[in-house]
Amino acid sequence: MFKRIILLATIFGSMYSAKAQYMDSYVQEGEFGIGIGAAHYFGDLNTRAAINRPKFSGGIFFRKQLNNYLGLKLAANYAALGYSDVYSKNETQKRRNLSFNTNIWEASLSADFNFFKFYPGVEGYSWTPYVSLGLGVFSYDPYAYLNGQKYMLRPLGTEGQGSSLYPDRKTYGSMAMCFPLAVGVKYALNESVNLFGEIGYRFTTTDYIDDVSGTYAPDAFPPLPDGSPSVAYLLQDRSYETGTPIGIKGRQRGNSSQKDSYVIFQVGVSFNLSSYRCPKP
């Protein structure tokens, strides 16, 4: 009986030694991956942070692992965003009747922190939750439909941007900065392949992802030569479609004190980049 105990102890000791030696020699250099999922917008048309109109998102990334816990991630993401006042539970917003869609193209650099040691292929070390914080830049160009035709909103200056009547209102740009804050979890199927899920909130530096921010400026859009209203006039205040127009000059159209934001959720697969070193004696 004593010999059997010694034998079992020797076997388990050898297995632990081999595992420890593997962990000491294995170096995860990083990983690259691809994910797909959904994105959602929050802003002047979605003031209650409702998550009821998700749209497609997809992305790729490369992560350079600095040690078992810290890494740097370079990512590129696409997100379709859009919303409409018709989805609001607020009667005033429903009367306002504005809507938009836009395509987001984003590039970011983030610092990642693994909560657990992560050794793909080693039992007990094959998964970890993580958190990341970074800095990014993205492009956006909101548009809307009128009578079935698509119109880009930024060139129209729907709040009087670019009009001589409102010299202080400059046309907003097509690019802005974002600050991605994300949490996720990854699981190694084997030494080479991982599965992951991640949700990330984007704080931004713009309030015009939805083309809504300040006050109405109907006088910036004179009638056409034939006396009919211009496209810009019809899109700056669409409350005429729900009743008496509410777009009086100077009346609040959006909330300029709060920037727009968006969230991206993705699941995907990544592939490990690894190397080996001589184990410590």
Side-chain angles (χ1 to χ4, degrees), residues 181-213:
L181 173 62
V183 293
V185 62
K186 57 183 175 180
Y187 173 76
L189 294 176
N190 51 49
E191 187 177 315
S192 302
V193 182
N194 311 315
L195 296 178
F196 73 88
E198 178 180 299
I199 184 168
Y201 190 89
R202 271 63 172 176
F203 302 90
T204 80
T205 60
T206 180
D207 192 33
Y208 282 106
I209 289 178
D210 50 19
D211 189 60
V212 180
S213 178

mmCIF file of all heavy atoms in Angstrom, residues 181-213:
data_model
loop_
_atom_site.group_PDB
_atom_site.id
_atom_site.type_symbol
_atom_site.label_atom_id
_atom_site.label_comp_id
_atom_site.label_asym_id
_atom_site.label_seq_id
_atom_site.Cartn_x
_atom_site.Cartn_y
_atom_site.Cartn_z
ATOM 1 N N LEU A 181 -14.292 51.771 -23.609
ATOM 2 C CA LEU A 181 -14.185 51.067 -22.331
ATOM 3 C C LEU A 181 -14.900 49.736 -22.504
ATOM 4 O O LEU A 181 -16.109 49.710 -22.759
ATOM 5 C CB LEU A 181 -14.828 51.879 -21.211
ATOM 6 C CG LEU A 181 -14.932 51.194 -19.839
ATOM 7 C CD1 LEU A 181 -13.543 50.862 -19.298
ATOM 8 C CD2 LEU A 181 -15.697 52.070 -18.860
ATOM 9 N N ALA A 182 -14.165 48.622 -22.384
ATOM 10 C CA ALA A 182 -14.733 47.320 -22.724
ATOM 11 C C ALA A 182 -14.449 46.290 -21.646
ATOM 12 O O ALA A 182 -13.445 46.364 -20.926
ATOM 13 C CB ALA A 182 -14.178 46.829 -24.059
ATOM 14 N N VAL A 183 -15.354 45.335 -21.536
ATOM 15 C CA VAL A 183 -15.152 44.160 -20.691
ATOM 16 C C VAL A 183 -15.452 42.939 -21.555
ATOM 17 O O VAL A 183 -16.295 42.986 -22.465
ATOM 18 C CB VAL A 183 -16.057 44.176 -19.440
ATOM 19 C CG1 VAL A 183 -15.668 45.295 -18.516
ATOM 20 C CG2 VAL A 183 -17.527 44.286 -19.833
ATOM 21 N N GLY A 184 -14.764 41.847 -21.272
ATOM 22 C CA GLY A 184 -14.963 40.651 -22.072
ATOM 23 C C GLY A 184 -14.439 39.412 -21.372
ATOM 24 O O GLY A 184 -13.913 39.483 -20.254
ATOM 25 N N VAL A 185 -14.593 38.306 -22.037
ATOM 26 C CA VAL A 185 -14.071 37.037 -21.539
ATOM 27 C C VAL A 185 -13.591 36.228 -22.735
ATOM 28 O O VAL A 185 -14.196 36.278 -23.812
ATOM 29 C CB VAL A 185 -15.150 36.268 -20.739
ATOM 30 C CG1 VAL A 185 -16.343 35.928 -21.618
ATOM 31 C CG2 VAL A 185 -14.570 35.017 -20.108
ATOM 32 N N LYS A 186 -12.485 35.512 -22.566
ATOM 33 C CA LYS A 186 -11.991 34.655 -23.636
ATOM 34 C C LYS A 186 -11.670 33.275 -23.091
ATOM 35 O O LYS A 186 -11.295 33.123 -21.924
ATOM 36 C CB LYS A 186 -10.771 35.270 -24.321
ATOM 37 C CG LYS A 186 -9.590 35.586 -23.426
ATOM 38 C CD LYS A 186 -8.486 36.256 -24.228
ATOM 39 C CE LYS A 186 -7.324 36.695 -23.348
ATOM 40 N NZ LYS A 186 -6.243 37.346 -24.149
ATOM 41 N N TYR A 187 -11.834 32.283 -23.964
ATOM 42 C CA TYR A 187 -11.639 30.881 -23.585
ATOM 43 C C TYR A 187 -10.841 30.192 -24.681
ATOM 44 O O TYR A 187 -11.183 30.286 -25.870
ATOM 45 C CB TYR A 187 -12.990 30.188 -23.406
ATOM 46 C CG TYR A 187 -12.877 28.701 -23.191
ATOM 47 C CD1 TYR A 187 -12.464 28.196 -21.956
ATOM 48 C CD2 TYR A 187 -13.160 27.811 -24.213
ATOM 49 C CE1 TYR A 187 -12.342 26.827 -21.755
ATOM 50 C CE2 TYR A 187 -13.057 26.447 -24.026
ATOM 51 C CZ TYR A 187 -12.639 25.951 -22.797
ATOM 52 O OH TYR A 187 -12.523 24.605 -22.602
ATOM 53 N N ALA A 188 -9.769 29.520 -24.287
ATOM 54 C CA ALA A 188 -8.915 28.821 -25.249
ATOM 55 C C ALA A 188 -9.469 27.427 -25.537
ATOM 56 O O ALA A 188 -9.551 26.593 -24.637
ATOM 57 C CB ALA A 188 -7.494 28.726 -24.706
ATOM 58 N N LEU A 189 -9.850 27.200 -26.786
ATOM 59 C CA LEU A 189 -10.278 25.861 -27.189
ATOM 60 C C LEU A 189 -9.095 24.901 -27.187
ATOM 61 O O LEU A 189 -9.220 23.720 -26.859
ATOM 62 C CB LEU A 189 -10.900 25.914 -28.581
ATOM 63 C CG LEU A 189 -12.214 26.682 -28.714
ATOM 64 C CD1 LEU A 189 -12.651 26.720 -30.170
ATOM 65 C CD2 LEU A 189 -13.293 26.049 -27.851
ATOM 66 N N ASN A 190 -7.945 25.402 -27.570
ATOM 67 C CA ASN A 190 -6.702 24.636 -27.563
ATOM 68 C C ASN A 190 -5.549 25.643 -27.535
ATOM 69 O O ASN A 190 -5.758 26.829 -27.282
ATOM 70 C CB ASN A 190 -6.613 23.699 -28.784
ATOM 71 C CG ASN A 190 -6.889 24.424 -30.090
ATOM 72 O OD1 ASN A 190 -6.320 25.480 -30.357
ATOM 73 N ND2 ASN A 190 -7.770 23.863 -30.919
ATOM 74 N N GLU A 191 -4.374 25.164 -27.830
ATOM 75 C CA GLU A 191 -3.198 26.028 -27.766
ATOM 76 C C GLU A 191 -3.226 27.145 -28.805
ATOM 77 O O GLU A 191 -2.572 28.177 -28.640
ATOM 78 C CB GLU A 191 -1.940 25.175 -27.961
ATOM 79 C CG GLU A 191 -0.635 25.913 -27.758
ATOM 80 C CD GLU A 191 0.570 25.001 -27.904
ATOM 81 O OE1 GLU A 191 0.549 23.890 -27.343
ATOM 82 O OE2 GLU A 191 1.533 25.393 -28.591
ATOM 83 N N SER A 192 -4.008 26.965 -29.854
ATOM 84 C CA SER A 192 -3.962 27.898 -30.982
ATOM 85 C C SER A 192 -5.178 28.788 -31.136
ATOM 86 O O SER A 192 -5.072 29.894 -31.668
ATOM 87 C CB SER A 192 -3.764 27.113 -32.293
ATOM 88 O OG SER A 192 -2.580 26.349 -32.253
ATOM 89 N N VAL A 193 -6.353 28.336 -30.694
ATOM 90 C CA VAL A 193 -7.605 29.022 -31.016
ATOM 91 C C VAL A 193 -8.380 29.382 -29.748
ATOM 92 O O VAL A 193 -8.524 28.563 -28.834
ATOM 93 C CB VAL A 193 -8.487 28.147 -31.933
ATOM 94 C CG1 VAL A 193 -9.770 28.892 -32.308
ATOM 95 C CG2 VAL A 193 -7.723 27.746 -33.183
ATOM 96 N N ASN A 194 -8.899 30.617 -29.725
ATOM 97 C CA ASN A 194 -9.728 31.099 -28.614
ATOM 98 C C ASN A 194 -11.102 31.530 -29.106
ATOM 99 O O ASN A 194 -11.261 31.924 -30.266
ATOM 100 C CB ASN A 194 -9.089 32.319 -27.943
ATOM 101 C CG ASN A 194 -7.629 32.122 -27.614
ATOM 102 O OD1 ASN A 194 -7.244 31.087 -27.087
ATOM 103 N ND2 ASN A 194 -6.816 33.123 -27.933
ATOM 104 N N LEU A 195 -12.077 31.474 -28.214
ATOM 105 C CA LEU A 195 -13.372 32.101 -28.421
ATOM 106 C C LEU A 195 -13.481 33.278 -27.459
ATOM 107 O O LEU A 195 -12.958 33.220 -26.344
ATOM 108 C CB LEU A 195 -14.512 31.119 -28.158
ATOM 109 C CG LEU A 195 -14.604 29.900 -29.078
ATOM 110 C CD1 LEU A 195 -15.774 29.022 -28.638
ATOM 111 C CD2 LEU A 195 -14.761 30.306 -30.529
ATOM 112 N N PHE A 196 -14.155 34.343 -27.864
ATOM 113 C CA PHE A 196 -14.283 35.499 -26.980
ATOM 114 C C PHE A 196 -15.630 36.176 -27.166
ATOM 115 O O PHE A 196 -16.286 36.052 -28.205
ATOM 116 C CB PHE A 196 -13.153 36.510 -27.228
ATOM 117 C CG PHE A 196 -13.285 37.295 -28.508
ATOM 118 C CD1 PHE A 196 -14.000 38.489 -28.546
ATOM 119 C CD2 PHE A 196 -12.716 36.833 -29.685
ATOM 120 C CE1 PHE A 196 -14.134 39.209 -29.726
ATOM 121 C CE2 PHE A 196 -12.844 37.542 -30.874
ATOM 122 C CZ PHE A 196 -13.555 38.734 -30.893
ATOM 123 N N GLY A 197 -16.019 36.912 -26.136
ATOM 124 C CA GLY A 197 -17.181 37.788 -26.184
ATOM 125 C C GLY A 197 -16.808 39.095 -25.509
ATOM 126 O O GLY A 197 -16.162 39.082 -24.450
ATOM 127 N N GLU A 198 -17.196 40.226 -26.103
ATOM 128 C CA GLU A 198 -16.783 41.527 -25.571
ATOM 129 C C GLU A 198 -17.872 42.560 -25.796
ATOM 130 O O GLU A 198 -18.507 42.587 -26.850
ATOM 131 C CB GLU A 198 -15.489 41.983 -26.236
ATOM 132 C CG GLU A 198 -15.003 43.357 -25.786
ATOM 133 C CD GLU A 198 -13.708 43.776 -26.470
ATOM 134 O OE1 GLU A 198 -12.692 43.062 -26.301
ATOM 135 O OE2 GLU A 198 -13.728 44.799 -27.184
ATOM 136 N N ILE A 199 -18.083 43.412 -24.795
ATOM 137 C CA ILE A 199 -18.987 44.533 -24.936
ATOM 138 C C ILE A 199 -18.228 45.802 -24.561
ATOM 139 O O ILE A 199 -17.540 45.845 -23.546
ATOM 140 C CB ILE A 199 -20.253 44.371 -24.060
ATOM 141 C CG1 ILE A 199 -21.223 45.533 -24.304
ATOM 142 C CG2 ILE A 199 -19.916 44.221 -22.587
ATOM 143 C CD1 ILE A 199 -22.603 45.308 -23.719
ATOM 144 N N GLY A 200 -18.311 46.814 -25.427
ATOM 145 C CA GLY A 200 -17.538 48.027 -25.227
ATOM 146 C C GLY A 200 -18.376 49.282 -25.441
ATOM 147 O O GLY A 200 -19.089 49.395 -26.442
ATOM 148 N N TYR A 201 -18.282 50.206 -24.510
ATOM 149 C CA TYR A 201 -18.996 51.482 -24.583
ATOM 150 C C TYR A 201 -18.040 52.532 -25.120
ATOM 151 O O TYR A 201 -16.890 52.616 -24.701
ATOM 152 C CB TYR A 201 -19.498 51.875 -23.202
ATOM 153 C CG TYR A 201 -20.438 53.052 -23.196
ATOM 154 C CD1 TYR A 201 -21.805 52.866 -23.350
ATOM 155 C CD2 TYR A 201 -19.965 54.345 -23.013
ATOM 156 C CE1 TYR A 201 -22.678 53.941 -23.333
ATOM 157 C CE2 TYR A 201 -20.829 55.427 -22.997
ATOM 158 C CZ TYR A 201 -22.182 55.227 -23.161
ATOM 159 O OH TYR A 201 -23.041 56.292 -23.150
ATOM 160 N N ARG A 202 -18.518 53.366 -26.063
ATOM 161 C CA ARG A 202 -17.703 54.416 -26.656
ATOM 162 C C ARG A 202 -18.174 55.793 -26.215
ATOM 163 O O ARG A 202 -19.245 56.254 -26.617
ATOM 164 C CB ARG A 202 -17.748 54.350 -28.183
ATOM 165 C CG ARG A 202 -16.707 53.479 -28.837
ATOM 166 C CD ARG A 202 -16.801 52.041 -28.483
ATOM 167 N NE ARG A 202 -15.879 51.252 -29.297
ATOM 168 C CZ ARG A 202 -15.694 49.951 -29.146
ATOM 169 N NH1 ARG A 202 -16.355 49.295 -28.212
ATOM 170 N NH2 ARG A 202 -14.838 49.305 -29.916
ATOM 171 N N PHE A 203 -17.395 56.445 -25.371
ATOM 172 C CA PHE A 203 -17.584 57.856 -25.106
ATOM 173 C C PHE A 203 -16.998 58.616 -26.303
ATOM 174 O O PHE A 203 -15.931 58.251 -26.801
ATOM 175 C CB PHE A 203 -16.857 58.274 -23.826
ATOM 176 C CG PHE A 203 -17.288 57.518 -22.602
ATOM 177 C CD1 PHE A 203 -16.650 56.352 -22.229
ATOM 178 C CD2 PHE A 203 -18.339 57.981 -21.821
ATOM 179 C CE1 PHE A 203 -17.041 55.649 -21.099
ATOM 180 C CE2 PHE A 203 -18.750 57.281 -20.692
ATOM 181 C CZ PHE A 203 -18.090 56.113 -20.327
ATOM 182 N N THR A 204 -17.658 59.663 -26.771
ATOM 183 C CA THR A 204 -17.172 60.374 -27.948
ATOM 184 C C THR A 204 -17.034 61.871 -27.674
ATOM 185 O O THR A 204 -17.523 62.383 -26.661
ATOM 186 C CB THR A 204 -18.096 60.179 -29.166
ATOM 187 O OG1 THR A 204 -19.224 61.061 -29.060
ATOM 188 C CG2 THR A 204 -18.578 58.740 -29.278
ATOM 189 N N THR A 205 -16.407 62.559 -28.619
ATOM 190 C CA THR A 205 -16.200 64.003 -28.497
ATOM 191 C C THR A 205 -17.149 64.797 -29.387
ATOM 192 O O THR A 205 -16.948 65.990 -29.589
ATOM 193 C CB THR A 205 -14.752 64.363 -28.856
ATOM 194 O OG1 THR A 205 -14.489 63.955 -30.210
ATOM 195 C CG2 THR A 205 -13.762 63.679 -27.922
ATOM 196 N N THR A 206 -18.178 64.146 -29.921
ATOM 197 C CA THR A 206 -19.114 64.845 -30.807
ATOM 198 C C THR A 206 -20.555 64.665 -30.348
ATOM 199 O O THR A 206 -20.905 63.634 -29.745
ATOM 200 C CB THR A 206 -18.991 64.355 -32.262
ATOM 201 O OG1 THR A 206 -19.926 65.068 -33.084
ATOM 202 C CG2 THR A 206 -19.282 62.873 -32.369
ATOM 203 N N ASP A 207 -21.376 65.649 -30.646
ATOM 204 C CA ASP A 207 -22.808 65.555 -30.374
ATOM 205 C C ASP A 207 -23.596 65.490 -31.673
ATOM 206 O O ASP A 207 -24.815 65.739 -31.683
ATOM 207 C CB ASP A 207 -23.258 66.768 -29.548
ATOM 208 C CG ASP A 207 -24.667 66.599 -28.989
ATOM 209 O OD1 ASP A 207 -25.044 65.463 -28.679
ATOM 210 O OD2 ASP A 207 -25.397 67.607 -28.879
ATOM 211 N N TYR A 208 -22.918 65.176 -32.778
ATOM 212 C CA TYR A 208 -23.584 65.213 -34.086
ATOM 213 C C TYR A 208 -23.598 63.866 -34.810
ATOM 214 O O TYR A 208 -23.809 63.833 -36.021
ATOM 215 C CB TYR A 208 -22.933 66.268 -34.975
ATOM 216 C CG TYR A 208 -23.374 67.672 -34.639
ATOM 217 C CD1 TYR A 208 -22.525 68.538 -33.971
ATOM 218 C CD2 TYR A 208 -24.644 68.116 -34.975
ATOM 219 C CE1 TYR A 208 -22.920 69.833 -33.657
ATOM 220 C CE2 TYR A 208 -25.060 69.408 -34.658
ATOM 221 C CZ TYR A 208 -24.195 70.260 -34.007
ATOM 222 O OH TYR A 208 -24.598 71.528 -33.693
ATOM 223 N N ILE A 209 -23.399 62.762 -34.093
ATOM 224 C CA ILE A 209 -23.568 61.455 -34.740
ATOM 225 C C ILE A 209 -24.971 61.354 -35.316
ATOM 226 O O ILE A 209 -25.191 60.783 -36.386
ATOM 227 C CB ILE A 209 -23.309 60.317 -33.733
ATOM 228 C CG1 ILE A 209 -21.815 60.242 -33.391
ATOM 229 C CG2 ILE A 209 -23.780 58.975 -34.299
ATOM 230 C CD1 ILE A 209 -21.478 59.170 -32.376
ATOM 231 N N ASP A 210 -25.944 61.952 -34.621
ATOM 232 C CA ASP A 210 -27.350 61.925 -35.045
ATOM 233 C C ASP A 210 -27.795 63.194 -35.759
ATOM 234 O O ASP A 210 -28.973 63.343 -36.075
ATOM 235 C CB ASP A 210 -28.240 61.688 -33.828
ATOM 236 C CG ASP A 210 -27.899 62.645 -32.673
ATOM 237 O OD1 ASP A 210 -27.253 63.684 -32.925
ATOM 238 O OD2 ASP A 210 -28.260 62.334 -31.525
ATOM 239 N N ASP A 211 -26.872 64.156 -35.976
ATOM 240 C CA ASP A 211 -27.183 65.432 -36.622
ATOM 241 C C ASP A 211 -28.109 66.307 -35.774
ATOM 242 O O ASP A 211 -28.731 67.227 -36.285
ATOM 243 C CB ASP A 211 -27.804 65.216 -38.011
ATOM 244 C CG ASP A 211 -27.933 66.520 -38.806
ATOM 245 O OD1 ASP A 211 -26.898 67.156 -39.059
ATOM 246 O OD2 ASP A 211 -29.071 66.908 -39.132
ATOM 247 N N VAL A 212 -28.200 66.040 -34.481
ATOM 248 C CA VAL A 212 -29.070 66.814 -33.594
ATOM 249 C C VAL A 212 -28.269 67.261 -32.387
ATOM 250 O O VAL A 212 -27.627 66.432 -31.730
ATOM 251 C CB VAL A 212 -30.286 65.988 -33.126
ATOM 252 C CG1 VAL A 212 -31.169 66.815 -32.202
ATOM 253 C CG2 VAL A 212 -31.088 65.497 -34.324
ATOM 254 N N SER A 213 -28.312 68.576 -32.071
ATOM 255 C CA SER A 213 -27.553 69.059 -30.921
ATOM 256 C C SER A 213 -28.130 70.322 -30.298
ATOM 257 O O SER A 213 -28.348 70.371 -29.095
ATOM 258 C CB SER A 213 -26.091 69.333 -31.308
ATOM 259 O OG SER A 213 -25.361 69.842 -30.217
#
